[in-house]
Amino acid sequence: MSLDLAYLARMAQRGAFTRVVVARAQGSVPREEGAAMLVWPDRIEGTIGGGALEYAAVEKARKGLTGIEKIPLGPAMAQCCGGAVTLAYETFDASSVARIAGDWHARPLGRTTNPPLALTRALSRARDRGETPPMLIGDWLIERVTAPATPIWIWGAGHVGRAFVSTLAPLPGLAISWADSGVERFPETTPEGVTPLIAENPADLVPLAPSNARHFILTYSHALDLELCHRLLTHGFTGLGLIGSASKWVRFRKRLGMLGHTAAQISRIACPIGDPTLGKHPQAIALGVATGLVKELTAAQAATERGTRAG
C-alpha cells in the first residue's frame, strides 16, 4: 500500500505504463491489498496473483482501461477462492510520476473531482495521528509515498555477488550499488536499477557510500574483505555482512582489533552471512541473505509506522 517513486520513475524510463493495484480484497483472494503490477504493451513487472484474474487485468490494461473494477472471483472468474477484489487501473509516465508529492497520494480514478468529506477526514487523521486510511474511499485511491530508497552496497561480482544482485534487483525500495575491480568482473548485462562501480582497489570507493547504507562483502580476496571491513568501520554504516566461515571471522576479529577497532564496533559486522542450512550454492546463499535483509527492512518499516501512530 505504497508508492515507491524511485521505482516508478525508473520503470517510466521504459515508456508509459498502466499500474494495476489491488485496492480492496475481501475473503479468499490471490494477493493482498496493495499488490501491484505494471503493464506495458510488450512486458509486465510484478504480479497481482497470476491466473485468470491477472491475465484478464493485463488484457484490459493494454486496451487502455483506467479506473476502478470490482470483481467477484467466483462468478466472474470461475475461481474457487470465493473472495472479491477491487482493482485500480492507472496510467503513469515520467511526468506524472514527477508530479507526485507529499506523504500521501490521493487521486480520483472515476468521475468525482472533488474529494469527499470521508477522504479529507481520513487524510487528516493519517497526518495528525498516524492512522492508516483505507486504500479506497469511493473512487479515490489513497497510497503512502515511500521514503527514499534504501542504499545497498554489494562488494564483489563473483558467483555469490551475481546471485545476490539478481535476487535483490527486482525488489522495490532498494538502491543497489555493485562494486568490483574491473569491468570484466561483471556480467554483460547489469540488472535494471543497479549501479556498477569500478575501481582498481574497490575499497577506495567506500567514501562514496552513504552512512546509512547496508553493505555485503562478497569479494574474491580475504585481504580486500579485511580492508573493506576496516574502512567501513571507520566510515559508518547501518548494516555490514561478510561472507566467510567461522574460522575466517575469528581471524578477522583479531586483525580488526589490531587495527584499533573496539569489540563493540567489530560486533556490528555479521559473519558468516546467510542461512547455513540452505547450503553453499551461490543462489542458496543469496536466498538466505536476501530473506534476512527483507525481514530486517520490513521490521524497521513496521517499527517506524508504530512510532508514527504513537506520536
Side-chain angles (χ1 to χ4, degrees):
M1 188 177 153
S2 62
L3 285 172
D4 184 337
L5 298 188
Y7 171 71
L8 291 181
R10 192 166 71 245
M11 295 299 100
Q13 293 175 2
R14 302 176 177 177
F17 57 85
T18 297
R19 181 173 181 260
V20 185
V21 61
V22 179
R24 182 173 294 154
Q26 299 168 289
S28 178
V29 296
R31 290 293 305 276
E32 71 286 354
E33 289 185 6
M37 67 177 177
L38 313 184
V39 182
W40 291 264
D42 60 344
R43 69 177 71 190
I44 303 168
E45 181 92 14
T47 179
I48 57 170
L53 174 67
E54 182 164 302
Y55 178 82
V58 169
E59 290 299 303
K60 292 171 185 176
R62 286 177 173 163
K63 290 178 180 178
L65 178 66
T66 57
I68 305 295
E69 181 187 27
K70 300 178 181 179
I71 305 171
L73 296 178
M77 295 288 170
Q79 293 188 356
C80 60
C81 298
V85 298
T86 300
L87 300 181
Y89 297 78
E90 186 176 12
T91 300
F92 286 93
D93 59 18
S95 61
S96 61
V97 173
R99 288 195 297 270
I100 298 173
D103 296 333
W104 293 92
H105 182 46
R107 64 277 194 199
L109 295 185
R111 297 180 179 179
T112 306
T113 55
N114 294 322
L117 181 59
L119 172 72
T120 303
R121 288 175 172 172
L123 288 176
S124 178
R125 289 193 297 269
R127 290 162 180 153
D128 296 342
R129 307 178 193 173
E131 295 182 9
T132 300
M135 195 168 183
L136 196 62
I137 296 179
D139 57 7
W140 283 69
L141 187 65
I142 310 168
E143 292 179 279
R144 183 191 293 274
V145 177
T146 61
T150 299
I152 304 294
W153 280 59
I154 299 172
W155 302 88
H159 295 302
V160 177
R162 294 184 183 206
F164 195 31
V165 167
S166 66
T167 301
L168 289 183
L171 298 176
L174 303 181
I176 301 174
S177 299
W178 194 10
D180 211 316
S181 57
V183 66
E184 73 283 354
R185 299 280 303 164
F186 292 87
E188 292 184 6
T189 303
T190 303
E192 192 167 3
V194 175
T195 303
L197 299 172
I198 299 171
E200 183 176 354
N201 179 8
D204 291 338
L205 299 169
V206 165
L208 301 180
S211 59
N212 65 331
R214 287 171 168 82
H215 299 264
F216 298 91
I217 300 176
L218 316 165
T219 83
Y220 58 88
S221 165
H222 284 202
L224 177 56
D225 289 353
L226 181 64
E227 184 177 3
L228 283 167
C229 288
H230 170 51
R231 294 204 190 190
L232 285 168
L233 283 171
T234 303
H235 177 72
F237 54 83
T238 291
L240 174 54
L242 170 66
I243 193 170
S245 63
S247 59
K248 173 181 176 179
W249 182 226
V250 170
R251 294 195 301 272
F252 270 44
R253 284 204 307 267
K254 180 178 179 180
R255 292 175 183 176
L256 289 170
M258 293 172 64
L259 289 169
H261 303 289
T262 67
Q265 292 171 328
I266 297 169
S267 68
R268 295 187 62 207
I269 301 175
C271 181
I273 54 173
D275 182 349
T277 64
L278 297 177
K280 297 182 179 181
H281 191 283
Q283 274 71 28
I285 296 172
L287 179 62
V289 177
T291 299
L293 175 63
V294 170
K295 287 182 178 180
E296 178 187 346
L297 295 177
T298 301
Q301 180 180 355
T304 299
E305 292 177 354
R306 286 195 300 272
T308 300
R309 287 195 292 271

